[in-house]
Amino acid sequence: MSDLRIEGLRVAYGSRRHPVEVLHGIDLHVGQGETLGLVGESGSGKTTVGRAVLGLAPVTGGRITFDGEEITHVSRRRRRALARHLQVVFQDPYSSLNSAFTIADILSEPLIAQGVPAKEAHSRVTTLLDRVRLPKSASQRYPREFSGGQRQRIAIARALALSPKLVICDEPVSALDLSTQGTVLELLTEIQDTTGVSYLFISHDLAVVRRMSHRVAVLYRGDVVEEGAAGTVTSDPEHPYTRRLLAANLVADPDEQAERRKARLALKAATGSEGSEAVA
Ligand SMILES: Nc1ncnc2c1ncn2[C@@H]1O[C@H](COP(=O)(O)OP(=O)(O)OP(=O)(O)O)[C@@H](O)[C@H]1O
């Protein structure tokens, strides 16, 4: 079973004296084998929702339950144990994999952290690589030897190592070119079909969310303004904000998008800004 419920979730950054609330009491539900797409413009709070589920955001109100257990605030020990069921794939496959380790080490590390003996963990690497359609020979290589799409497939393999019930996919294809995006999305769908894993699929791209999700929730400035079946929300939205989002997506020119993405990546490379953490 996999059942994630978010009820009245509030998150505030800043100091205790000067809190800045970025989620204003939102409700979301991700059922067994389901993909809930979470869409919204930059800064609407999407990543913060994922971080709150992983215990990485300052939650000030509401509750998060997973399979009936309240996980809003749990001990470090319990959080580590929960990592067995709750995993994450981040946007940036360049910084989410530790460049100092071989792929075999990267894929076996979550298993070892959960108490699987090293030898057995290493023996599972080939199966994991196979699942994301990478050859066995990849195991002795380093992240820098792979393309962006291949690295994202390695990140997906790592997230799957513990056979989690739910994976938070936070903009998992935004850093990839269009054809590579397709391959990675197809892979995520195939994995869901065979394993029954649930996804909380975060993206600013309504087209990607429409393709991946059973249901879609639209986040606007920290509030869920619309939620429903993916087809309905993305083709016949009720809320004016969703309509604007849809219009913006429809007029988006793929070449222009590619240019913007290139500029973002160049900026990231220059400033080293957008980091990401691994959750073992
Ligand atoms: N660690 C932090 N400290 C202070 N403010 C933060 C922090 N992380 C996020 N915020 C703020 O919270 C708001 C929501 O951010 P969040 O990253 O969740 O949005 P998002 O919808 O995922 O945006 P993007 O698509 O750009 O990643 C933004 O105003 C952001 O500036």
Side-chain angles (χ1 to χ4, degrees), residues 13-14 22 40-49 171 202 204 274:
Y13 293 109
V22 298
E41 66 193 356
S42 180
S44 55
K46 305 179 298 294
T47 293
T48 300
V49 174
E171 302 271 10
I202 296 171
H204 65 280
E274 199 164 4

Side-chain angles (χ1 to χ4, degrees), residues 34-221:
E34 178 181 59
T35 298
L36 174 72
L38 187 57
V39 73
E41 66 193 356
S42 180
S44 55
K46 305 179 298 294
T47 293
T48 300
V49 174
R51 291 177 64 86
V53 174
L54 296 167
L56 299 170
V59 174
T60 51
R63 46 190 249 137
I64 303 169
T65 52
F66 186 65
D67 285 353
E69 175 190 357
E70 173 148 11
I71 60 163
T72 328
H73 306 282
V74 291
S75 67
R76 277 171 170 257
R77 193 164 166 214
R78 184 66 198 133
R79 182 61 63 187
R80 270 199 300 276
L82 278 170
R84 167 136 183 35
H85 305 300
L86 284 174
Q87 281 288 318
V88 60
V89 174
F90 290 105
Q91 171 178 359
D92 187 354
Y94 291 90
S95 63
S96 69
L97 301 175
N98 191 327
S99 59
F101 292 109
T102 63
I103 304 307
D105 288 334
I106 288 169
L107 296 185
S108 53
E109 191 268 337
L111 292 158
I112 294 168
Q114 293 288 327
V116 175
K119 205 170 158 196
E120 192 187 325
H122 276 268
S123 73
R124 289 199 213 162
V125 166
T126 311
T127 316
L128 286 168
L129 285 171
D130 194 45
R131 254 165 127 186
V132 296
R133 301 193 212 116
L134 285 172
K136 190 178 170 188
S137 58
S139 66
Q140 292 316 310
R141 292 161 64 194
Y142 290 86
R144 64 173 173 274
E145 299 175 55
F146 295 89
S147 68
Q150 288 171 328
R151 285 186 216 201
Q152 200 57 309
R153 283 193 267 155
I154 294 163
I156 292 168
R158 183 184 57 186
L160 293 174
L162 295 162
S163 305
K165 294 178 178 179
L166 184 127
V167 177
I168 296 167
C169 302
D170 189 353
E171 302 271 10
V173 297
S174 316
L176 308 176
D177 62 52
L178 278 182
S179 67
T180 315
Q181 282 193 5
T183 316
V184 171
L185 293 177
E186 204 175 287
L187 180 68
L188 285 169
T189 305
E190 186 188 299
I191 288 165
Q192 184 172 60
D193 289 345
T194 52
T195 64
V197 67
S198 309
Y199 295 134
L200 174 60
F201 192 94
I202 296 171
S203 176
H204 65 280
D205 186 333
L206 208 54
V208 169
V209 163
R210 174 171 33 205
R211 170 173 171 173
M212 294 303 289
S213 313
H214 300 100
R215 286 185 307 114
V216 170
V218 181
L219 200 56
Y220 176 59
R221 296 186 177 174

